Amino acid sequence: MHILLAITGDPKAQRWIDAMQAALPDARFSVWDAAGPALDADYAVVWHPPAALFTRETGLRAVFNIGAGVDGLLSVPTLPAELPVIRLEDAGMSVQMAEYTLHALWEGARDFAAYRGLQASGEWKVLPVPRRDQWTVGVLGLGQVGRKVAEAVAGFGYPTAGWSRTPREIPDIETFSGQDGLPAFLARTKVLVNVLPLTPDTRDVLNASLFAQLPKGAHLINVGRGEHLVDDDLLAALDSGQLARATLDVFRTEPLPKDHAFWRHPAITVTPHTAARTLRAESVAQIVGKIRRLQAGESVGGQVERGRGY
Ligand code: NDP
Ligand code: OXD
């Protein structure tokens, strides 16, 4: 069995190979080399792979994406339509996303942003007791990540809802689905958390019309993808007061260009696509387990439905 790694942006590909080799001692591993020959690889393990990989390696049985979101892989024009695409399922990312969301939520709900301002002016001032029932949280996307985020937030007693494509039932979470369910979901949501996958249906979903359906002074946390957000609509909503704060981890262009208005906006917090890091040990264990099952002719979870884009 030959496994090819093409992990764009990670100079430590050898560490992935070492970890996979330890679990699959009989397998052969290679790192993608644009100038190299065809390897007749059986599996590819990738992140934003080059288009040439799929024209050269035509015998692949499956491609593993070392992230939850497959938008960067599905957009590769040479990706064969029938090639199974398998993404990471949680693999330690959901708990990180929950931590990130709670931290961003508490900027407002526990007044941390306000206290920073008071510290800057040397003021000892206790703000009114926070009312948890007024900090309604709504999570767009109730998959591997969104569900964990919603459950974590609900666990702290915030009234929590979630929105998905198909109807879902989750204890302690008010659930909404489909376009018909969106207006009622937005109307009850003060803090909107986006953990949708990027698909043709969800691109630009965070726009002026959506912001207008949130209660005035709402907060946005975007940990999905930059292409979900219409940047100018966010700036306009913050300037008008329709939105009060935004915490953004993902951007249309990454790294976020130095001259982008988000960097300096007083109501925006920027982090460099780090809400959840891919954890090598967890990811390798998951991928190796799936390769073993595929080799045994069994089915595996996390297979992307190409028609719906996630
Ligand atoms: P899943 O595929 O497990 O879940 C996707 C969820 O989104 C499902 O609940 C699905 O609905 C819902 N959904 C998809 N399309 C629509 C739609 N058109 N309308 C309403 N709901 C929709 O994905 P994950 O939870 O694993 O990951 C979600 C995304 O989070 C990733 O694609 C990635 O973009 C982002 N991410 C970002 C990270 C970061 O560091 N910033 C790290 C990890 C992930 P249904 O349940 O009906 O299928
Ligand atoms: C992912 C990501 O999709 O890191 O896993 O953004």
Side-chain angles (χ1 to χ4, degrees), residues 147-255:
R147 181 180 175 133
K148 180 89 174 188
V149 166
E151 287 173 342
V153 169
F156 278 94
Y158 296 95
T160 308
W163 183 69
S164 51
R165 196 176 54 85
T166 56
R168 301 271 162 200
E169 277 185 31
I170 306 175
D172 302 324
I173 314 287
E174 193 182 359
T175 52
F176 299 82
S177 62
Q179 286 304 319
D180 291 349
L182 190 56
F185 166 83
L186 295 172
R188 49 78 59 210
T189 291
K190 180 175 172 73
V191 180
L192 182 68
V193 187
N194 174 45
V195 256
L196 289 167
L198 180 65
T199 72
D201 289 339
T202 64
R203 182 176 294 273
D204 297 331
V205 64
L206 302 174
N207 59 32
S209 146
L210 179 142
F211 296 147
Q213 296 175 66
L214 294 167
K216 195 166 173 66
H219 293 210
L220 172 68
I221 301 170
N222 187 21
V223 284
R225 285 289 183 262
E227 293 90 337
H228 286 134
L229 175 64
V230 181
D231 292 5
D232 287 343
D233 288 5
L234 171 63
L235 292 170
L238 288 169
D239 291 347
S240 73
Q242 177 57 24
L243 290 190
R245 276 201 73 74
T247 304
L248 309 175
D249 184 55
V250 286
F251 304 92
R252 283 184 181 259
T253 304
E254 295 182 0

Side-chain angles (χ1 to χ4, degrees), residues 47-49 65 67-77 79 85 87 196-200 202-203 223-228 250-252 254 273 304 309-310:
W47 183 249
H48 290 269
N65 184 62
V70 289
D71 44 292
L73 175 53
L74 297 191
S75 64
V76 176
L79 181 72
V85 171
R87 71 188 188 89
L196 289 167
L198 180 65
T199 72
T202 64
R203 182 176 294 273
V223 284
R225 285 289 183 262
E227 293 90 337
H228 286 134
V250 286
F251 304 92
R252 283 184 181 259
E254 295 182 0
H273 198 145
V304 171
Y310 71 100

Side-chain angles (χ1 to χ4, degrees), residues 95-110 112 137 148-158 191 193 221:
V95 68
Q96 300 176 63
M97 296 288 259
E99 287 170 339
Y100 185 100
T101 299
L102 285 166
H103 182 274
L105 167 64
W106 289 332
E107 282 287 283
R110 285 303 314 271
F112 284 117
V137 178
K148 180 89 174 188
V149 166
E151 287 173 342
V153 169
F156 278 94
Y158 296 95
V191 180
V193 187
I221 301 170

